[in-house]
Amino acid sequence: MNSNNKVMPLANLNEITQDSLFFCFFIEIKKKLTNIDSKYYLSAFIKQLSSIFFREMELALEYYEEYSELEDYKDFYQKVKNERNKIKKTIVNSKTSKGKINDLGIDYNNQIYDMQIYVNLANELLDFNIEGYNEYKDEDFDFWNNLYLFPRKILEKSLDRNWDIIFKNLMSHLSSVLKEIEEKTISKEYSYSSYKLFKHCLNLTNEDKTFILFRFRLLKSILLFDKVFLKGNVVMSNSDDRIFNFDLKNYLRKYKAIVIAIIGNDLMCLKTPFSTNLIKELDSILPPDFYKINRKLRNHIHYVDEIFPLSIKEEETLDKYQPLYLNYIYEKILKNINIHIDTECMAMSKAVQECRNKNMSVDEIKEKYQQYYLKYYYQLIEED
């Protein structure tokens, strides 16, 4: 990239190009997926951090005076800042999360059907409907479409190649990856109770429960996609210079560093027995320099600041302990929730689906759901 007064360091250029490259790579993967559940799940994975990358790219281009690249995006700046602020805020202090809990009528103390859960074909929990609630109501699709085009423009400017052909050739070698994504993210939706979800966990506060509802998908998706994509061994460009390499493993390592920083900040702010004990347990199994190295990589999102590439030893430390950190929290959460799809749950799920199919209003659902629930409940009893 050229600039009038400042020259972007090679390491920074590599970082911004790599982020653009693999962001575009995920968009191409999404296009190739045929199942709508899989498309949605990958979209949530992409969308949450896209505003971070856009905002940092914007700051870098302003700093290095590449204003020509920003002209089409000036109207989006404030919305990007707002989206980025959603991610930066902890769950404890988030008005958005509290608002969603209230709007959905989540009741941790009474067994009512107040939520939806999504379970894949292997009966693994994928998500709740809490985090994404109202995210697509009055969604500004033009905003997100333009946001997703921005990294492509950066990519075309920094590396003059025919990316349509490159991505087409790459996709032709990733049929097994696409298949595995769909196998792991096709989901069944069930009506469920937040009371039932946490009924065996008397040690959890309501704040702990809200943390789990809003961060579970973030944890599950990075673990799932990290495992699936690294099987594909995607390396877009390799050179003898360690700075100028584009490797999906590098990108996902940074993605995990960001997720760990988000989760870690939440746990520090919770200050509950659950979070305090979890932090102590992690500290006992992680090396003393883990958080420092992870923070160093996480800070590579700041393209304006001088970027110092990780050493091989630092990369090895993160490759060993990032999965341990994420899996440890994930397993702790699984031990603290109860997923049991019984006859009552299935009957209520079918009743809710019938109400949706008939486009009933809220008042009509309140009037009819019990009738539909009993109909399906007795049908299921007879089938057994």
Side-chain angles (χ1 to χ4, degrees):
M1 294 181 185
N2 296 322
S3 66
N4 296 326
N5 299 316
K6 306 179 186 73
V7 177
M8 183 180 290
L10 179 58
N12 295 53
L13 175 60
N14 179 81
E15 197 72 22
I16 197 170
T17 304
Q18 178 171 268
D19 286 346
S20 299
L21 177 63
F22 288 112
F23 186 90
C24 294
F25 168 77
F26 284 129
I27 295 296
E28 293 300 316
I29 288 282
K30 179 190 169 187
K31 291 177 183 177
K32 292 295 182 181
L33 295 173
T34 58
N35 181 267
I36 190 66
D37 296 338
S38 301
K39 283 180 178 287
Y40 173 82
Y41 205 68
L42 183 59
S43 293
F45 179 75
I46 298 169
K47 180 180 175 182
Q48 185 152 32
L49 298 182
S50 61
S51 56
I52 291 179
F53 294 138
F54 181 96
R55 176 61 178 159
E56 295 299 333
M57 288 177 186
E58 171 200 337
L59 293 172
L61 293 178
E62 286 180 348
Y63 181 79
Y64 291 104
E65 300 183 11
E66 293 285 349
Y67 296 112
S68 61
E69 296 300 316
L70 298 172
E71 292 175 359
D72 297 335
Y73 295 89
K74 289 180 180 178
D75 294 338
F76 298 97
Y77 292 172
Q78 189 57 51
K79 185 168 177 61
V80 167
K81 290 178 183 178
N82 293 340
E83 291 293 332
R84 186 171 185 252
N85 286 338
K86 288 181 185 178
I87 301 171
K88 290 173 64 178
K89 291 180 180 178
T90 63
I91 293 302
V92 176
N93 300 321
S94 172
K95 292 182 180 179
T96 300
S97 61
K98 292 177 182 177
K100 290 181 179 182
I101 291 291
N102 290 332
D103 290 346
L104 283 165
I106 299 299
D107 188 342
Y108 297 127
N109 300 313
N110 295 287
Q111 188 162 337
I112 60 173
Y113 284 86
D114 52 3
M115 63 189 299
Q116 303 293 114
I117 62 172
Y118 303 91
V119 180
N120 69 10
L121 300 180
N123 292 320
E124 296 173 340
L125 178 65
L126 290 175
D127 199 4
F128 309 101
N129 70 321
I130 316 296
E131 179 194 11
Y133 177 70
N134 263 350
E135 288 292 310
Y136 296 101
K137 184 179 181 181
D138 301 322
E139 180 71 282
D140 187 349
F141 289 105
D142 287 339
F143 166 78
W144 289 107
N145 287 337
N146 277 279
L147 188 63
Y148 291 164
L149 288 173
F150 185 70
R152 184 65 172 257
K153 289 190 174 184
I154 297 296
L155 195 58
E156 290 170 351
K157 183 175 179 64
S158 58
L159 293 176
D160 185 18
R161 300 179 185 178
N162 190 325
W163 292 103
D164 289 331
I165 293 177
I166 291 172
F167 282 123
K168 182 178 180 180
N169 291 337
L170 180 60
M171 292 303 115
S172 67
H173 297 290
L174 293 178
S175 58
S176 62
V177 171
L178 293 168
K179 181 181 179 182
E180 187 170 1
I181 291 173
E182 296 203 328
E183 287 176 349
K184 291 183 178 298
T185 56
I186 291 175
S187 63
K188 299 176 184 178
E189 180 181 355
Y190 295 100
S191 296
Y192 212 70
S193 164
S194 58
Y195 171 83
K196 182 178 178 180
L197 185 73
F198 297 111
K199 71 175 184 178
H200 299 311
C201 302
L202 301 178
N203 61 319
L204 293 182
T205 67
N206 287 350
E207 288 76 17
D208 294 325
K209 296 171 185 178
T210 299
F211 161 76
I212 289 171
L213 293 180
F214 278 89
R215 293 307 192 202
F216 181 84
R217 197 274 317 158
L218 183 65
L219 273 169
K220 177 65 177 180
S221 62
I222 185 59
L223 288 169
L224 187 155
F225 289 124
D226 186 53
K227 184 176 180 180
V228 171
F229 282 120
L230 289 184
K231 287 182 182 178
N233 193 27
V234 179
V235 180
M236 301 293 287
S237 176
N238 248 337
S239 72
D240 293 333
D241 188 339
R242 292 190 70 250
I243 292 179
F244 206 69
N245 279 309
F246 305 133
D247 188 337
L248 183 56
K249 186 174 183 179
N250 293 335
Y251 181 81
L252 290 173
R253 188 186 293 121
K254 177 176 169 180
Y255 204 122
K256 284 179 281 190
I258 296 171
V259 172
I260 288 170
I262 292 172
I263 297 295
N265 194 33
D266 280 334
L267 292 175
M268 292 291 290
C269 291
L270 274 173
K271 297 179 181 179
T272 62
F274 169 77
S275 65
T276 302
N277 289 334
L278 192 50
I279 291 170
K280 286 182 179 178
E281 290 167 4
L282 285 167
D283 287 345
S284 69
I285 58 178
L286 295 170
D289 60 349
F290 170 75
Y291 291 110
K292 180 181 178 181
I293 299 171
N294 194 78
R295 174 63 63 175
K296 176 181 177 181
L297 181 56
R298 180 263 179 203
N299 286 343
H300 286 188
I301 64 173
H302 302 304
Y303 308 122
V304 172
D305 299 339
E306 186 175 1
I307 287 176
F308 299 96
L310 300 185
S311 67
I312 293 177
K313 184 178 179 180
E314 288 174 327
E315 288 180 351
E316 289 173 347
T317 296
L318 292 187
D319 289 344
K320 180 177 181 179
Y321 290 105
Q322 280 185 331
L324 187 152
Y325 180 100
L326 295 168
N327 275 293
Y328 196 88
I329 297 176
Y330 174 71
E331 294 297 332
K332 281 289 183 180
I333 288 176
L334 289 184
K335 289 180 180 178
N336 280 279
I337 60 177
N338 169 59
I339 302 292
H340 178 56
I341 310 300
D342 54 17
T343 302
E344 183 179 297
C345 176
M346 293 178 66
M348 183 58 74
S349 302
K350 288 178 178 291
V352 169
Q353 188 58 53
E354 181 165 346
C355 292
R356 285 181 183 171
N357 293 341
K358 293 183 177 180
N359 294 317
M360 289 185 175
S361 66
V362 174
D363 289 337
E364 287 175 322
I365 292 173
K366 288 180 180 179
E367 180 184 348
K368 296 286 187 180
Y369 85 90
Q370 190 170 11
Q371 172 189 335
Y372 293 143
Y373 163 75
L374 290 173
K375 179 182 75 171
Y376 287 114
Y377 182 81
Y378 290 123
Q379 281 183 7
L380 290 166
I381 291 294
E382 289 176 5
E383 290 174 4
D384 286 343

